[in-house]
Amino acid sequence: QLQLQESGPGLVKPSETLSLTCTVSGGSISSSNYYWGWIRQPPGKGLEWIGSVSYSGSTYYNPSLKSRVTISVDTSKNQFSLKLSSVTAADTAVYYCASLLVSIISYYFDFWGQGTPVTVSS
Amino acid sequence: SSELTQDPAVSVALGQTVRITCQGDSLRSYYASWHQQKPGQAPVLVIYGKNNRPSGIPDRFSGSSSGNTASLTITGAQAEDEADYYCNSRDSSGNHLVLFGGGTKLTVL
């Protein structure tokens, strides 16, 4: 079964760029059945989808974040990454990476990383 | 449409049956999945597709769908089922967007 692990700084200054990486093990990131996604959860709030990437590099972003988000994939390292620019305190959250199984009739996240907390503060 | 709507909170007596619902236009075209999240933990998939449970999920969890509403039913709720539950689906706009419901806090009394 897939295992995912987020990594990156836990503290980012306002106006800077948040950068996280997700390392996938137990399977190939090049699987055509999967997209790879980032989800965040602000303190005390619900889950928010940030965006997804396919193994070929096709990307899909939440319209509310699209202008600030870049997600990329590195198949040689079995990793995918998130960059969120111009961060503010509102971007403080636990950030999760997850595997997104896609089909004609459903999308669902079947495996999740443990999550990494990111605080935006000077 | 780009929204999935859930009731913020639901309660159930220990051992009884509870249904948690999720409404949205996209559910007319795509199945919902359901995730359970306990405090301080990552979400865990409990139901996907028409009514499928990942390995290790008890069979007291089941899913169903009708029109624009998907439901998660827990038959014989246990104390360990107390958690937040999130529905999730694909957006029906054709843009490969992903939707989450706002979550339902389940309390087992």
Side-chain angles (χ1 to χ4, degrees):
Chain A
Q1 91 179 16
L2 292 174
Q3 296 182 357
L4 296 94
Q5 177 68 58
E6 306 90 350
S7 59
L11 180 63
V12 182
K13 290 182 168 57
S15 79
E16 295 190 346
T17 296
L18 178 161
S19 296
L20 297 174
T21 295
C22 182
T23 300
V24 179
S25 58
S28 173
I29 204 167
S30 297
S31 171
S32 59
N33 291 4
Y34 277 102
Y35 291 172
W36 307 93
W38 288 98
I39 304 99
R40 70 180 183 179
Q41 186 170 37
K45 296 188 177 181
L47 301 172
E48 179 181 31
W49 173 70
I50 300 171
S52 306
V53 62
S54 71
Y55 77 95
S56 63
S58 298
T59 53
Y60 310 95
Y61 299 136
N62 187 324
S64 69
L65 298 169
K66 186 174 184 177
S67 63
R68 299 194 291 130
V69 174
T70 302
I71 297 176
S72 59
V73 63
D74 186 336
T75 55
S76 67
K77 296 181 179 179
N78 233 34
Q79 294 177 335
F80 62 106
S81 298
L82 168 69
K83 292 187 185 299
L84 181 65
S85 64
S86 305
V87 297
T88 69
D91 295 310
T92 293
V94 175
Y95 285 76
Y96 296 98
C97 62
S99 53
L100 178 61
L101 196 61
V102 301
S103 73
I104 294 173
I105 58 172
S106 69
Y107 277 18
Y108 59 92
F109 294 100
D110 55 352
F111 296 102
W112 295 68
Q114 66 185 21
T116 187
V118 177
T119 300
V120 178
S121 175
S122 55
Chain B
S1 174
S2 59
E3 287 188 353
L4 295 176
T5 301
Q6 298 182 241
D7 291 328
V10 171
S11 62
V12 62
L14 184 68
Q16 296 304 300
T17 296
V18 63
R19 176 174 292 181
I20 298 170
T21 61
C22 174
Q23 290 188 304
D25 286 344
S26 66
L27 301 180
R28 297 184 185 279
S29 304
Y30 302 105
Y31 288 118
S33 62
W34 292 90
H35 294 81
Q36 176 194 70
Q37 186 181 35
K38 297 181 179 179
Q41 298 183 18
V44 172
L45 179 68
V46 295
I47 291 289
Y48 66 95
K50 188 174 183 180
N51 179 19
N52 301 296
R53 286 175 288 106
S55 174
I57 301 301
D59 61 5
R60 63 179 178 271
F61 289 87
S62 63
S64 61
S65 184
S66 178
N68 73 335
T69 301
S71 300
L72 171 70
T73 300
I74 307 174
T75 303
Q78 302 299 301
E80 61 263 33
D81 300 334
E82 184 163 295
D84 294 325
Y85 290 86
Y86 294 90
C87 62
N88 156 232
S89 181
R90 174 182 174 173
D91 178 80
S92 55
S93 68
N95 294 325
H96 300 277
L97 306 185
V98 175
L99 304 175
F100 279 102
T104 298
K105 169 63 179 176
L106 176 65
T107 300
V108 180
L109 304 171

